[in-house]
Amino acid sequence: MTMRPIRIIGDPVLRAACEPVTTFDADLRALVTDLMDTLLGAPGRAGVAANQIGVPAQVFVYDADGHRGHMINPTLELSDETQDDDEGCLSIPGLYFPTPRALHATAHGFDQHGEPLTISGSGFLARALQHETDHLHGRLYVDTLRGDTRRKALREIRAGRFDTPRR
């Protein structure tokens, strides 16, 4: 089992768009395995994107609402209906804020063997798919916040008021 350290806000890899995967080989399968080991290696994790472990590739894994898997080169279709539940991030540990997201999401992409893959979900699974896809575009959930919530989140981050990084 290879549990990789999670990169924390301030690391430039989290703010850069990840590169699309073009080669579906043993190295990619090893990355997916490392991501899944990192996801499942600590309780309470719903997803990990490749850039969160320092790899700028469009790959993420998820474990949400009884669904577990991975997605490569995702694109999203989002509903107009919204949800506004608390959201957190392994890269900003310990901070949670009400974050607007689409209530339903469908992700299209590929599996680790290059086969087409579609994942659809509502509620927490939809939130996880959106959150992880955002990571691959260099966006963090705090980027979606508005008004007083955004100001509070940014104050907390600037003050370093998040938990000590965990593996």
Side-chain angles (χ1 to χ4, degrees):
M1 182 166 147
T2 304
M3 194 168 149
R4 307 262 296 266
I6 299 292
R7 301 294 179 98
I8 301 301
I9 191 168
D11 189 316
V13 73
L14 295 172
R15 292 306 197 164
C18 294
E19 294 295 321
V21 172
T22 57
T23 304
F24 294 80
D25 59 7
D27 288 340
L28 176 64
R29 289 187 290 284
L31 173 60
V32 170
T33 298
D34 283 358
L35 284 165
M36 192 59 75
D37 288 349
T38 303
L39 173 67
L40 301 176
R45 294 181 171 183
V48 177
N51 59 344
Q52 288 184 282
I53 63 168
V55 180
Q58 288 190 13
V59 182
F60 70 77
V61 296
Y62 61 92
D63 185 15
D65 281 347
H67 300 273
R68 181 183 293 168
H70 67 278
M71 175 70 66
I72 298 164
N73 299 339
T75 60
L76 292 178
E77 292 176 33
L78 304 175
S79 70
D80 291 332
E81 291 178 275
T82 61
Q83 56 177 315
D84 196 28
D85 293 322
D86 278 355
E87 193 165 319
C89 181
L90 297 173
S91 293
I92 314 171
L95 293 184
Y96 300 87
F97 294 95
T99 305
R101 295 283 187 184
L103 182 59
H104 308 284
T106 299
H108 301 279
F110 300 91
D111 71 10
Q112 62 188 327
H113 304 288
E115 296 298 320
L117 183 63
T118 298
I119 305 158
S120 293
S122 298
F124 188 61
L125 178 57
R127 179 174 293 281
L129 294 173
Q130 292 168 78
H131 180 107
E132 299 310 325
T133 299
D134 275 356
H135 270 299
L136 303 181
H137 296 287
R139 291 188 302 260
L140 298 172
Y141 84 97
V142 293
D143 299 333
T144 69
L145 303 177
R146 299 289 175 256
D148 289 340
T149 303
R150 180 173 174 77
R151 284 187 285 281
K152 181 178 180 188
L154 294 177
R155 272 194 309 272
E156 296 288 318
I157 290 166
R158 279 192 297 273
R161 292 190 186 123
F162 46 88
D163 291 340
T164 303
R166 299 181 292 257
R167 281 196 84 187

